[in-house]
Amino acid sequence: GSIALVMSKIKEGQKLYRQKLAAEREREDLVAQDQLITSTSRNVPRLKDLLIRPNLTGTRKGMGTLEAHVNGFRFISQKGDKVDMTYKNIRNAFFQPCDGEMIVCLHFHFRHPILVGGKKRTDVQFYTEVVEASQDLSNRRSNIYDRDELEEEQRDRQMRANINKAFSTFVKRVEEAADEQVEFDIPFRKLGFTGVPPHRQSCLLVPTTNCIVNLTEQPQFVLNLDDLELVHFERVQFSLKNFDMVFIFKDYSSTPATSSSRRARPRSTGAAS
């Protein structure tokens, strides 16, 4: 028994040492960030009961509160863990309502990676899951005259509207208080198209004012239009239902990004629509 206990302690010590080395490697080339200046006001813009992606600790979801301060955001988990993000380091900020989505989220894409859960991350997302009322009704036939079903659908719409309003109010307060230090972009879902970004499965790619994104699937995809030199269309033929889009970056040392299997629409000329 004593030998087993000693072996267990040795393995635990080796594990902690490996974790320490990994954390040091992650910090090696991090760009130093400005210190977060916290507000003295008790009425700072605040959103409660948010989940964070990536998780702060392993595979367990961490819930907490997102606050906007003088020069950035601070997320405080229920366990007291903190993630600071300065406005200066945020290249893109997105607000995605839950219209047609399972989540409503705020997504931040950074100029320089920050440490989240001990690893470098260029994207961090704060979200609330929205439960579809249709899930509870999926096992029974739909009836437009079913009062219970109609009431449940109405509650679902009202819940979504309330959540969207809470996030929208937070975004407006942040933009006003930040004095143009951060501006949120909203995806144009109606203009979305199906594609397969690098290292991902087929998903809905949605344009925003400055980017093409998918913020729902894991891992998230953010492509800044300012980084692009041109977009090249491949396999565009009348006989094919799909074609590919290749994004060529201004920085020619960067590998072009390809979105494959974009469905072509009917067209009267040889050009892609």
Side-chain angles (χ1 to χ4, degrees), residues 10-21:
I10 291 175
K11 289 182 179 179
E12 182 65 23
Q14 291 174 332
K15 179 181 177 181
L16 293 175
Y17 180 70
R18 287 194 296 268
Q19 290 176 346
K20 181 181 178 180
L21 288 180

Side-chain angles (χ1 to χ4, degrees), residues 15-238:
K15 179 181 177 181
L16 293 175
Y17 180 70
R18 287 194 296 268
Q19 290 176 346
K20 181 181 178 180
L21 288 180
E24 290 176 353
R25 285 195 297 268
E26 289 290 322
R27 291 190 180 94
E28 281 179 356
D29 56 352
L30 275 179
V31 177
Q33 302 298 317
D34 294 340
Q35 193 74 20
L36 182 72
I37 303 173
T38 56
S39 174
T40 56
S41 172
R42 294 184 178 181
N43 192 31
V44 297
R46 181 181 289 111
L47 269 180
K48 297 181 179 180
D49 300 328
L50 298 182
L51 296 168
I52 180 174
R53 287 198 287 215
N55 299 327
L56 294 179
T57 54
T59 58
R60 297 185 61 182
K61 293 182 178 180
M63 185 170 286
T65 300
L66 182 66
E67 299 175 342
H69 291 277
V70 177
N71 66 332
F73 297 97
R74 169 168 285 175
F75 177 77
I76 307 174
S77 73
Q78 292 177 340
K79 292 185 177 181
D81 297 321
K82 297 178 181 178
V83 177
D84 292 343
M85 301 152 288
T86 58
Y87 297 142
K88 186 177 179 181
N89 190 38
I90 295 174
R91 184 178 185 187
N92 305 104
F94 303 99
F95 163 44
Q96 179 174 274
C98 55
D99 304 325
E101 300 284 356
M102 291 298 294
I103 63 171
V104 54
C105 74
L106 301 177
H107 186 98
F108 300 108
H109 182 67
F110 303 115
R111 301 179 189 279
H112 305 290
I114 67 171
L115 278 182
V116 180
K119 295 184 178 180
K120 292 195 292 286
R121 305 290 186 179
T122 55
D123 292 88
V124 174
Q125 185 177 105
F126 305 95
Y127 68 101
T128 294
E129 294 176 331
V130 181
V131 179
E132 291 272 14
S134 58
Q135 287 183 340
D136 300 329
L137 305 170
S138 59
N139 294 327
R140 69 187 191 193
R141 296 179 61 184
S142 177
N143 187 343
I144 62 173
Y145 301 108
D146 189 324
R147 177 174 295 181
D148 291 340
E149 183 175 341
L150 291 174
E151 289 179 352
E152 191 161 1
E153 289 177 354
Q154 185 174 355
R155 285 194 299 270
D156 178 68
R157 286 193 297 269
Q158 187 61 49
M159 177 188 64
R160 286 173 173 270
N162 291 341
I163 294 175
N164 280 340
K165 183 178 179 180
F167 273 71
S168 178
T169 299
F170 175 83
V171 165
K172 290 178 181 177
R173 289 190 62 196
V174 168
E175 289 181 335
E176 291 173 0
D179 192 24
E180 298 183 355
Q181 293 182 81
V182 62
E183 184 176 347
F184 285 84
D185 213 350
I186 300 178
F188 303 122
R189 183 177 173 83
K190 291 183 179 180
L191 301 179
F193 55 90
T194 302
V196 184
H199 314 299
R200 292 165 177 81
Q201 296 179 341
S202 178
C203 63
L204 182 68
L205 297 176
V206 185
T208 71
T209 302
N210 303 304
C211 301
I212 295 175
V213 302
N214 179 282
L215 305 178
T216 306
E217 307 294 334
Q218 296 296 310
Q220 298 99 351
F221 176 75
V222 177
L223 179 68
N224 275 278
L225 299 180
D226 285 343
D227 294 341
L228 298 182
E229 180 75 23
L230 58 89
V231 178
H232 181 66
F233 296 89
E234 296 183 343
R235 298 191 304 120
V236 181
Q237 300 179 21
F238 282 102

Side-chain angles (χ1 to χ4, degrees), residues 250-262:
K250 293 176 182 177
D251 179 4
Y252 290 155
S253 64
S254 299
T255 303
T258 301
S259 172
S260 58
S261 300
R262 189 202 187 286

